Amino acid sequence: MEKVLECKDLHKKFGRKEILKGVSFTISEGDILAFIGPNGSGKTTTIKLILGLQKINSGKVTINGYDIKKDFEKAINKVGAIVENPDFYMYLTGYQNLKLIASCYDNITNEKIDKIVKYVGLEKRINDKVSKYSLGMRQRLGIARALLNKPNVLILDEPTNGLDPEGIKDLRVLLKRLASEGMGILISSHNLAELESFCNKVCIIDSGTIIETNEVTALKKNENQFIFKVSDTSKINIKGAYDITKSTFKINGDRDLIAKTIKELVKEDIDIYEVKQTEITLEEAFLKKTRGDK
């Protein structure tokens, strides 16, 4: 997959305070990257540097091969973004708001606007005033606005704020569809349980420093904990086994210990149906990385 966004060694200071301390990560076509961190960790600052809303002290942002400093217009040309809650003219209809934004670009026809409106599921309400919209509908209108310039990079800062479960579900379905069509998406949110359901990568930032960037599935693996599913646990005599039920138990250890445990179970004539690494939630993984929770 081709890289569509790369941040390399980004530094940002406000006065003497260093907000970002060498932030680096990449997004490729089809990625949905969860950009997570505690309040004040530097998420929104990073997003503003990517979008050219704040000046980079040092480091580099490349979008579709263009340096944001040297070729801003070319770099930003294929980027759509919603930073916090999208603002609209509330006394205008959704369609009128989109027409205003479309006038800033070349060759955006009414047919194209109609297609995007249908894509985000607003065709039945697009001619209503935005003041009549729910927050979820405004978020969908915000994404429609962000899609007008046919971006292949979408950046969303806290897009689930204030959304009800149905609004969050609609947003999730839409973002997964966009990613499946090759768009690279960066999404910053505190709703880690929701991000876990549709993001394939995660980047954790804390105090302006990237703690880890990884696949969501890899981050969730509880590396030293394994669960065994066996025919009978009444006869087991395995040192360190815990959470023992009638047919399962857990053990912490490395691969050598797991191999030794399997040999002992076989020796005791106990059938082994499954051995797998346990998983933790994205929230648990996040707290483990940022707080050192065990």
Side-chain angles (χ1 to χ4, degrees):
M1 289 292 185
E2 189 174 336
K3 291 179 186 176
V4 292
L5 171 64
E6 182 174 16
C7 295
K8 192 171 182 180
D9 199 26
L10 292 181
H11 289 260
K12 179 64 180 176
K13 284 185 177 181
F14 291 111
R16 293 183 177 180
K17 187 173 183 181
E18 191 172 22
I19 306 299
L20 300 183
K21 307 166 185 175
V23 168
S24 299
F25 62 84
T26 63
I27 296 177
S28 298
E29 295 172 337
D31 280 342
I32 307 180
L33 176 75
F35 191 42
I36 61 177
N39 286 331
S41 59
K43 299 188 300 297
T44 299
T45 298
T46 302
I47 287 172
K48 288 181 176 178
L49 295 189
I50 293 169
L51 295 174
L53 299 176
Q54 289 180 356
K55 186 179 178 182
I56 299 169
N57 290 139
S58 66
K60 187 176 180 181
V61 173
T62 305
I63 305 174
N64 293 313
Y66 296 106
D67 188 325
I68 199 81
K69 286 182 183 177
K70 298 175 182 177
D71 293 297
F72 178 76
E73 287 189 14
K74 289 180 180 178
I76 213 71
N77 186 47
K78 293 296 182 182
V79 178
I82 301 177
V83 181
E84 298 171 342
N85 293 328
D87 291 324
F88 297 101
Y89 292 105
M90 305 297 282
Y91 58 88
L92 297 179
T93 68
Y95 194 81
Q96 288 169 331
N97 271 277
L98 292 180
K99 282 286 286 182
L100 277 174
I101 299 300
S103 67
C104 299
Y105 299 101
D106 294 328
N107 303 320
I108 297 183
T109 63
N110 291 344
E111 288 77 15
K112 182 177 177 182
I113 295 173
D114 291 339
K115 186 177 179 181
I116 291 172
V117 166
K118 187 175 181 180
Y119 191 87
V120 300
L122 277 178
E123 63 268 31
K124 293 181 180 178
R125 299 291 303 275
I126 196 63
N127 291 312
D128 293 350
K129 289 185 177 180
V130 176
S131 59
K132 305 284 187 183
Y133 283 13
S134 67
L135 189 53
M137 291 170 65
R138 272 182 254 161
Q139 289 285 18
R140 277 191 274 170
L141 185 62
I143 291 177
R145 184 175 68 185
L147 295 178
L148 284 174
N149 60 325
K150 293 182 68 175
N152 67 342
V153 177
L154 185 62
I155 297 173
L156 306 174
D157 188 18
E158 296 293 348
T160 61
N161 272 357
L163 293 185
D164 60 19
E166 186 176 358
I168 291 174
K169 180 187 174 185
D170 289 344
L171 182 65
R172 178 176 69 238
V173 170
L174 179 57
L175 294 179
K176 287 175 77 172
R177 189 196 312 170
L178 289 168
S180 72
E181 294 171 1
M183 187 175 291
I185 301 171
L186 184 153
I187 179 168
S188 168
S189 176
H190 289 102
N191 192 340
L192 302 191
E194 185 55 41
L195 293 179
E196 184 176 353
S197 69
F198 65 90
C199 293
N200 68 311
K201 289 186 178 178
V202 62
C203 180
I204 301 174
I205 185 171
D206 192 12
S207 301
T209 301
I210 299 298
I211 303 299
E212 182 165 353
T213 302
N214 211 332
E215 300 283 338
V216 170
T217 51
L219 188 70
K220 288 170 58 183
K221 282 183 180 177
N222 200 355
E223 293 180 0
N224 296 315
Q225 187 184 84
F226 292 79
I227 185 167
F228 282 73
K229 188 174 182 180
V230 297
S231 57
D232 180 17
T233 59
S234 62
K235 299 188 296 180
I236 68 168
N237 184 25
I238 305 296
K239 186 177 180 181
Y242 65 100
D243 282 356
I244 301 171
T245 69
K246 190 175 180 180
S247 60
T248 65
F249 67 90
K250 292 178 183 175
I251 190 167
N252 293 339
D254 57 18
R255 294 176 65 181
D256 290 341
L257 179 61
I258 301 309
K260 182 180 177 183
T261 301
I262 290 171
K263 288 177 183 177
E264 290 181 18
L265 290 171
V266 171
K267 190 186 298 182
E268 294 176 21
D269 202 26
I270 295 172
D271 294 330
I272 305 166
Y273 301 128
E274 187 177 38
V275 181
K276 67 177 182 179
Q277 243 175 352
T278 61
E279 281 193 348
I280 55 179
T281 66
L282 181 58
E283 182 176 1
E284 289 169 334
F286 169 71
L287 292 175
K288 193 174 181 180
K289 295 292 181 180
T290 57
R291 296 182 184 175
D293 291 1
K294 304 297 183 185

